[in-house]
């Protein structure tokens, strides 16, 4: 089978149908051109990095020092549970942090807060960010969704269906 026959079997021999397929391909490419920057912006807006940047901008930073740490897991690939101590309003407080392999607890941990000093967080420790997937997963498939919609809207003739 020649290359030309393979194209005719896949896309038919109608030149208008070929133009429609080129339009679908262009929509797919433009979808990625649009989706990739949006993905980066949305990912940053949902990240701990952004929260840290907001707290730094407001100078809401507390320095905590390591007082205890203990490993979990197998030797050579430990994850660490650690306890830090910091002073807030003249009282000593503790903060517990988890560091997943290969990270290890630093001696000094910077804690941040946005509005409430009782709701501290650290940027350095491990964070499970499954909340981002709910929004970013559909965004990854946006170009394909647009391309499939274009196939149906343009009424493209698909051989074999």
């Amino acid at each position: 089978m020649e290359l030309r026959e393979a194209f005719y079997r896949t896309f038919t021999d109608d030149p208008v149908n070929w133009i429609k397929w080129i339009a679908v391909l262009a929509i797919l490419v433009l979808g990625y051109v649009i989706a990739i920057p949006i993905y980066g912006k949305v990912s940053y807006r949902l990240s701990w990095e952004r929260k840290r940047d907001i707290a730094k901008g407001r100078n809401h930073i507390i320095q905590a020092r390591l007082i205890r740490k203990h490993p979990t897991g197998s030797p050579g690939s430990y994850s660490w549970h650690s306890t830090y101590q910091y002073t807030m309003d003249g009282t000593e407080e503790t903060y517990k942090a988890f560091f997943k392999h290969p990270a290890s607890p630093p001696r000094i941990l910077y804690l941040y807060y946005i509005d409430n000093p009782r709701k501290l967080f650290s940027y350095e420790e491990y964070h499970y960010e499954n909340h981002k997937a709910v929004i970013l997963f559909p965004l990854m498939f946006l170009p394909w969704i647009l391309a499939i919609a274009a196939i149906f809207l343009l009424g493209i003739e698909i051989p074999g269906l």
Side-chain angles (χ1 to χ4, degrees):
M1 174 185 309
E2 281 186 34
L3 186 59
R4 181 180 292 190
E5 289 177 38
F7 276 119
Y8 287 159
R9 266 198 184 159
T10 305
F11 301 110
T12 71
D13 59 351
D14 182 14
V16 174
N17 205 34
W18 281 55
I19 292 171
K20 290 178 183 179
W21 276 110
I22 290 170
V24 168
L25 182 63
I27 288 170
L28 182 66
V29 170
L30 288 174
Y32 275 109
V33 168
I34 292 168
I36 290 172
I38 291 173
Y39 182 92
K41 288 177 184 176
V42 170
S43 180
Y44 175 74
R45 297 215 25 111
L46 297 174
S47 71
W48 289 95
E49 182 182 5
R50 178 176 178 263
K51 288 177 71 174
R52 181 203 57 194
D53 293 344
I54 291 170
K56 275 185 171 181
R58 295 177 182 174
N59 201 23
H60 293 173
I61 305 169
I62 297 171
Q63 210 176 43
R65 67 184 185 287
L66 181 65
I67 55 173
R68 267 190 311 273
K69 66 178 180 178
H70 66 277
T72 58
S74 59
S77 62
Y78 286 130
S79 294
W80 295 89
H81 293 275
S82 56
T83 305
Y84 288 87
Q85 191 172 33
Y86 62 93
T87 305
M88 180 180 289
D89 298 330
T91 59
E92 294 287 322
E93 304 280 340
T94 59
Y95 180 83
K96 296 186 186 249
F98 177 69
F99 296 90
K100 193 170 181 172
H101 176 73
S104 63
R107 290 195 184 276
I108 301 294
L109 182 68
Y110 292 98
L111 302 174
Y112 307 96
Y113 63 94
I114 304 291
D115 296 321
N116 187 351
R118 295 283 169 213
K119 294 182 179 179
L120 296 173
F121 66 92
S122 74
Y123 177 70
E124 290 83 12
E125 73 179 297
Y126 174 73
H127 295 284
Y128 186 65
E129 295 184 331
N130 61 342
H131 66 284
K132 291 169 76 171
V134 173
I135 295 172
L136 295 177
F137 190 72
L139 193 57
M140 286 188 314
F141 291 106
L142 178 67
W144 289 98
I145 294 167
L146 293 174
I148 290 170
I151 288 172
F152 289 110
L153 289 174
L154 292 173
I156 295 178
E157 184 181 324
I158 301 172
L161 292 180

